[in-house]
Amino acid sequence: MKKLFITFVSLIVATASWAQTPRYLDERLPLEERIDDALSRMTLDEKIRIIHAQSKFSAAGIPRLGFPDLWTDDGPHGVRPDVLWDEWEQAGQTNDSCVAFPALTCLAATWNPQMARLYGESVGEEALYRGKSVLLGPGVNIFRTPLGGRNFEYMGEDPWLASRMVVPYVQGLQSKGVAACVKHYALNNDEEYRHQVNVSVSDRALHEIYLPAFRAAVQEGGAWSIMGAYNLYKNQHNCHNEVMLNKILKQDWQFDGAVISDWGGCHDTDEAVRNGLDLEMGSWTNGLSEGASNAYDMYYLAMAYKRGIQSGKYSTRELDEKVRRVLRLHFRTTMNRHKPQGFLCSEAHYAAALQIAQEGIVLLRNEKVEMRNEKLAEPLLPLNPDMTGRILVVGENAIKMMTVGGGSSSLKVQREILPLDGIRARFASAEVDYARGYVGDTVQSYNGVTVGRSLRDLRTKDELISEAVAKARQADVVIFVGGLNKSDYQDCEGHDRKDYGLPYAQDELIEALAKANPRLVVVNISGNCAALPWLGLVPAVVQGWFIGSEAGEAIASVLAGDVNPSGKLPFT
């Protein structure tokens, strides 16, 4: 009887406790009821403070109601290192290194949705460990031109392929309690003048080519947030575009998540209020000009918006809709008490990065050629991993970190296996020599992240080519590792490429190597198309992409035949 009495009292206490719990904290209630309750408790100041940034990568929470700050971070190839509160420079932490996953061109080249799911889950666990609630990615803008500087961040030129790959990525990422912020919506196909270009496109091309991947991310993937693009469409910036956001995204597609501006992509309070922007993020923006620091209250959706409401210029209808969407994002991320465990730089993540890289590498050409001391001509690849001869590796990209640079996707990795090191490890029985061949970008750091080894070389082009050719004549096999890099005017945010060809006189070098030694393998590292005028002279060509932390091991495993290079180009 005493036990029954204690149980009855416990039930009374528990019931009283539930009765005192605010409805927005009661997880038994439907999400929309919880949002309504939280919204009803908020002051005007609290509503305004959660719809714009408070630092480079965070938006304020609601401390009085227990909502934490909302932290975002750049992706989608890995979780960007933390920066200072109000500057782009690194914060100097020692626990914010990450695993770099292959660029999305490589993921798309796998043509394998299971790899996209694995990718999303893995990067989601890293973001979760780092306390990030929104990962700024994946990117699914369609290749419009091979000169696009940011093409390497996207999933190619085919809307069906991108649609099939983005859905499992989003689902995998959000299964970890981290919101995908699918970007850059939409028509962000050029980097030059990206804040001013007004894209002209037919309705048919828009809906059949440029929007399907975004639509799939929303309607099939259930994306919790979308990032507006810098460019204009129909004379309105896409971060506050009536057609793109209100009509297509929110009305036609029934998107219930939050629209987040690209950093500094908001330009007008009136349009931001009325045309679908929910959360304004920025970079050195004060609402009037550029260059002010800690000016977050001067953003377009900050004090200017509040004054407009107080003066009667704006009603609170649009504000409540924005707050409702941001609260929904909070409940799905920061207020989700059932998120799984996050992990950083785990063995499983490195294994995932390696598998995705291996499946994405594309064999472009593999012709028969006589190997030295062998009478029968055979395809050059795969190379014998137990060969005891001399292998010459040529090219700057064999020793250059590709995780550093390129704009917002630049990472600080725990490790990056370079191609030269991967080849030396896999072909341990051979004598592996190296020649620089060409000198490209010798910048030693990006936003405070160093490249690991000095790339400076003062020799002339002719001296570099002469050394490589001389060594090639003595080698059993030559492996050239070149292509593009993540410097300005190549595969890099902010600028587009100036021509289709490979930079730094690489065409001249490759032709000279082919004449010196017909047993030549070219590994092209890039996230973009390139003209290959020497293609008929080279028996084996491999498209290697920017493939992250396990780059060297992945490339070596393909060259040695450990894995089948089954990747297929995601663009022509």
Side-chain angles (χ1 to χ4, degrees), residues 150-208:
R150 216 165 180 178
N151 283 350
F152 72 97
E153 292 190 45
Y154 302 137
M155 294 188 180
E157 70 178 3
D158 184 80
W160 177 253
L161 174 62
S163 297
R164 294 311 92 208
M165 297 299 287
V166 70
V167 169
Y169 183 113
V170 169
Q171 292 172 335
L173 174 62
Q174 294 184 168
S175 73
K176 304 302 178 180
V178 177
C181 187
V182 185
K183 63 184 188 183
H184 305 83
Y185 179 75
L187 302 168
N188 185 59
N189 308 111
D190 301 277
E191 287 297 291
E192 296 292 344
Y193 310 109
R194 58 184 178 171
H195 293 278
Q196 294 87 30
V197 62
N198 186 30
V199 179
S200 178
V201 61
S202 70
D203 285 347
R204 180 175 181 180
L206 176 68
H207 287 277
E208 292 186 4

Side-chain angles (χ1 to χ4, degrees), residues 44 47-48 51 269 272-274 277 297 299-311 314-320 322:
L44 175 61
K47 291 177 180 180
I48 292 292
I51 63 170
T269 297
V273 168
R274 297 187 172 98
L277 178 62
D297 285 340
Y299 275 24
Y300 295 101
L301 288 183
M303 291 304 296
Y305 191 11
K306 178 183 174 181
R307 288 192 296 267
I309 291 175
Q310 291 172 329
S311 69
Y314 308 119
S315 73
T316 58
R317 180 177 61 85
E318 295 92 349
L319 175 62
D320 286 349
K322 297 177 192 298

